[in-house]
């Protein structure tokens, strides 16, 4: 989804996510079922906003969003790190995945926090991924790198991308303006 600021892109996504109810019309899933209760499918959706949630905790908790380390799946963590292209970053950290990354990701660059959010998406393996201006604050090289990672999801997941830049949508099958 591409368009100028203020045309309703984020509002549209809020409707998809079930955060707001449309005043008219209906939400239909896969040409079959009208969505009346978003609880039916909202557990299948990963949302990557423009500003990512970064906890004042270690990297593996930020990826898994699970505080109890015994419940964190190490294989899923490693796969998420690999798929989000975070391996080099993790190996550069003094304690790897156990490294605390600071409140609001104070020790991270913009590209690193996006990759952590993307790793979180891989970890939780949701069927639908919604990116709402998720790369807009990044430089073009970092954005292209993130877009390449998202491109790997093609034909595996349903990905909805909201962006001001057409390049961000290069792997999309359909573009709505």
């Amino acid at each position: 989804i591409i368009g100028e600021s203020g045309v309703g892109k984020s509002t549209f996504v809020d409707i998809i996510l079930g955060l707001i109810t449309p005043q008219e019309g209906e939400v239909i899933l896969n040409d079959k079922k009208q969505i009346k209760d978003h609880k039916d499918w909202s557990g299948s959706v990963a949302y990557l906003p423009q500003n990512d949630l970064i906890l004042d905790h270690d990297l593996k908790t930020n990826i898994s969003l699970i505080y109890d380390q015994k419940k964190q799946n190490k294989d899923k963590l490693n796969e998420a790190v690999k798929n989000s292209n975070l391996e080099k970053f993790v190996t550069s950290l003094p304690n790897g995945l156990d490294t605390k990354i600071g409140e609001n990701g104070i020790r991270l660059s913009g590209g690193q926090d996006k990759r952590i959010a993307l790793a979180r998406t891989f970890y939780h393996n949701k069927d639908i991924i919604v990116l709402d201006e998720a790369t807009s604050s990044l430089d073009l090289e970092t954005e292209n790198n993130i877009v390449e990672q998202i491109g790997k999801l093609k034909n595996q997941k349903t990905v909805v991308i909201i962006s001001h830049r057409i390049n961000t949508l290069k792997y999309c099958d359909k573009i709505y303006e």
Side-chain angles (χ1 to χ4, degrees):
I1 303 169
I2 191 166
E4 298 174 15
S5 297
V7 297
K9 300 181 304 292
S10 293
T11 302
F12 177 67
V13 167
D14 288 347
I15 291 170
I16 291 172
L17 295 172
L19 299 175
I20 59 175
T21 305
Q23 293 177 355
E24 53 185 79
E26 58 190 6
V27 179
I28 298 174
L29 180 63
N30 293 331
D31 295 325
K32 300 176 197 162
K33 179 180 170 188
Q34 180 176 346
I35 303 297
K36 294 189 189 317
D37 186 358
H38 282 82
K39 292 176 190 165
D40 291 344
W41 70 288
S42 61
S44 301
V45 180
Y47 176 62
L48 281 85
Q50 186 169 357
N51 300 312
D52 300 303
L53 169 69
I54 301 294
L55 307 171
D56 186 16
H57 219 284
D58 59 40
L59 187 54
K60 62 186 178 186
T61 301
N62 269 281
I63 293 172
S64 68
L65 294 179
I66 299 170
Y67 286 98
D68 184 348
Q69 292 189 13
K70 293 175 187 167
K71 293 183 179 180
Q72 295 171 351
N73 184 313
K74 288 181 177 47
D75 292 334
K76 284 173 66 173
L77 278 166
N78 291 330
E79 189 69 19
V81 166
K82 178 183 170 194
N83 288 337
S84 59
N85 205 17
L86 272 172
E87 289 173 305
K88 193 175 191 179
F89 171 66
V90 171
T91 58
S92 75
L93 296 172
N95 297 314
L97 287 170
D98 292 314
T99 303
K100 283 200 168 209
I101 54 177
E103 189 172 348
N104 293 320
I106 194 76
R107 299 181 187 128
L108 302 173
S109 71
Q112 291 164 337
D113 66 359
K114 287 297 171 205
R115 286 184 196 283
I116 291 168
L118 190 58
R120 187 179 298 148
T121 301
F122 286 121
Y123 182 90
H124 290 283
N125 198 27
K126 302 292 184 172
D127 296 324
I128 302 166
I129 300 168
V130 178
L131 294 94
D132 189 358
E133 298 286 355
T135 62
S136 65
S137 62
L138 303 175
D139 63 84
L140 285 176
E141 181 180 345
T142 304
E143 179 184 32
N144 287 334
N145 221 317
I146 298 288
V147 169
E148 292 298 319
Q149 298 310 114
I150 294 165
K152 292 180 180 180
L153 299 172
K154 190 173 175 100
N155 300 322
Q156 297 175 34
K157 308 282 181 189
T158 299
V159 181
V160 177
I161 302 172
I162 295 175
S163 181
H164 292 289
R165 299 183 223 175
I166 194 74
N167 181 56
T168 307
L169 308 177
K170 72 181 182 180
Y171 291 108
C172 295
D173 295 321
K174 295 180 183 178
I175 298 175
Y176 297 95
E177 187 173 345

